[in-house]
Amino acid sequence: MILSQTALYALRATLCLAGHDTPEPVRVEDIAESLDVPRNYLSKILHVLARSGLLASTRGPGGGFQLARPAAELTLADIVEQFDEVADEPHCLLGRPQCSDQDPCAAHDRWRSVSVAVNQFFRGTSVADLLRDRPLAKGFEVAV
Amino acid sequence: MILSQTALYALRATLCLAGHDTPEPVRVEDIAESLDVPRNYLSKILHVLARSGLLASTRGPGGGFQLARPAAELTLADIVEQFDEVADEPHCLLGRPQCSDQDPCAAHDRWRSVSVAVNQFFRGTSVADLLRDRPLAKGFEVAV
DNA sequence: TCCAATTATCATGATCATATGATGATCCTC
DNA sequence: GAGGATCATCATATGATCATGATAATTGGA
């Protein structure tokens, strides 16, 4: 519910990168091991994030992945959006395409506030916000 | 996001049944046409709901599906739960199995309130609540 | 009793999410 | 410029979800 496995991996990996304070890139291998996520699968996920400019990748010895911008300017939505949909307008719970405030479905008002809360969480929370709350939660250390 | 196609069909069909005020059963055929949902697929979905006692089914001429109890005693969670997970305890956004208030992950506090809101929506909203808000929203009439 | 209506169930297929393993491309160091 | 390290990409596999079509089982009514 809420997030796909893939988006979850992306989020955890990004958080892992952000929590890694040294300026060098981190290898896929290390992140994968640290998060217990399939290595090649993670590689593809990180590649997507790099291609859209959220991460920077470097090849060759000493290479790996880094944040491409400060963690404070990276929202959870930025990450998740690459894999799952983070709707701007709440989607109709009942799937009515024409659903709107003017032409609402049975669930409209009640669902709207919930939906907005979810949206605001992803759009309004930055990676830095999470790190600030709890710098390095157990289970997210990078193996060095 | 949020609901699977199957759970959505189930919810819409149930709402459709609840909005149908005559006491006779409604045929799968009619619901399927009314909601524009594959007929045999819907049949299987309704069968699941009937098997778990949420709907009543009758075979043969004049048969079809009905609510098995008053719409006020049927929550959205009752329906959705048959197909998707409606977690009682908010799941850790980052997938940490040991996540708890005592041993929280980086996203814990922020995610918790969002997660609880979603949960309360499904558990706290009955089919009757939706009908009361807006008796028969366009697009959910049963074709008679 | 037989027929038609209707749900129940089975066999199968399409598509997508989630992986796995192998190979290619690039880059640093020597 | 050679070799190894590392990301990039491709081919393939697996299971779940979503769906279709055919057939069986049940039931009410002529």
Side-chain angles (χ1 to χ4, degrees):
Chain A
M1 211 151 161
I2 306 282
L3 283 194
S4 69
Q5 188 68 256
T6 305
L8 201 58
Y9 287 166
L11 212 50
R12 293 173 64 200
T14 305
L15 217 55
C16 183
L17 285 176
H20 199 251
D21 40 359
T22 75
E24 300 103 39
V26 185
R27 299 188 310 144
V28 171
E29 184 63 44
D30 291 339
I31 306 175
E33 194 174 326
S34 167
L35 301 179
D36 194 28
V37 157
R39 179 217 149 114
N40 282 354
Y41 194 51
L42 183 61
S43 175
K44 224 167 21 179
I45 292 172
L46 294 182
H47 175 59
V48 169
L49 295 178
R51 208 178 42 204
S52 34
L54 301 172
L55 300 183
S57 70
T58 348
R59 301 211 256 196
F65 289 88
Q66 299 165 288
L67 298 195
R69 33 170 145 137
E73 296 168 24
L74 204 53
T75 68
L76 303 193
D78 289 335
I79 309 294
V80 168
E81 238 165 15
Q82 306 299 324
F83 309 97
D84 298 359
E85 186 184 11
V86 180
D88 263 314
E89 273 306 294
H91 273 197
C92 176
L93 176 68
L94 303 176
R96 283 172 81 241
Q98 78 277 28
C99 203
S100 71
D101 291 351
Q102 282 71 44
D103 180 13
C105 74
H108 194 79
D109 297 336
R110 288 165 177 269
W111 177 243
R112 184 179 177 75
S113 68
V114 173
S115 193
V116 164
V118 173
N119 183 285
Q120 281 179 354
F121 171 77
F122 285 111
R123 294 218 182 279
T125 307
S126 74
V127 170
D129 286 335
L130 295 191
L131 287 185
R132 190 180 318 125
D133 280 2
R134 217 171 316 278
L136 263 183
K138 257 187 263 174
F140 289 100
E141 307 87 354
V142 179
V144 189
Chain B
M1 207 152 162
I2 307 284
L3 284 193
S4 69
Q5 189 67 257
T6 306
L8 200 58
Y9 287 167
L11 211 50
R12 293 174 63 201
T14 306
L15 216 55
C16 184
L17 285 176
H20 198 249
D21 42 357
T22 75
E24 302 102 38
V26 185
R27 301 186 310 144
V28 172
E29 184 64 43
D30 291 339
I31 306 175
E33 194 174 327
S34 166
L35 301 180
D36 193 27
V37 157
R39 179 216 148 114
N40 282 355
Y41 194 50
L42 183 61
S43 174
K44 226 168 18 180
I45 293 172
L46 294 181
H47 175 59
V48 169
L49 295 178
R51 206 178 44 204
S52 35
L54 301 172
L55 300 183
S57 70
T58 349
R59 299 211 256 196
F65 289 88
Q66 299 165 287
L67 297 193
R69 35 169 144 138
E73 295 168 24
L74 204 54
T75 69
L76 303 193
D78 289 335
I79 309 293
V80 168
E81 238 164 16
Q82 306 299 323
F83 309 97
D84 298 358
E85 186 185 9
V86 180
D88 264 313
E89 274 306 293
H91 274 197
C92 176
L93 175 66
L94 302 176
R96 282 174 80 241
Q98 78 276 29
C99 202
S100 71
D101 290 350
Q102 281 71 46
D103 179 13
C105 74
H108 194 78
D109 297 336
R110 290 163 175 270
W111 178 242
R112 185 179 175 76
S113 68
V114 172
S115 193
V116 164
V118 172
N119 184 285
Q120 281 180 353
F121 170 78
F122 285 111
R123 295 219 181 277
T125 307
S126 75
V127 170
D129 287 333
L130 296 191
L131 288 184
R132 190 181 317 123
D133 281 359
R134 217 170 314 280
L136 263 183
K138 258 187 264 175
F140 289 100
E141 307 87 353
V142 180
V144 190

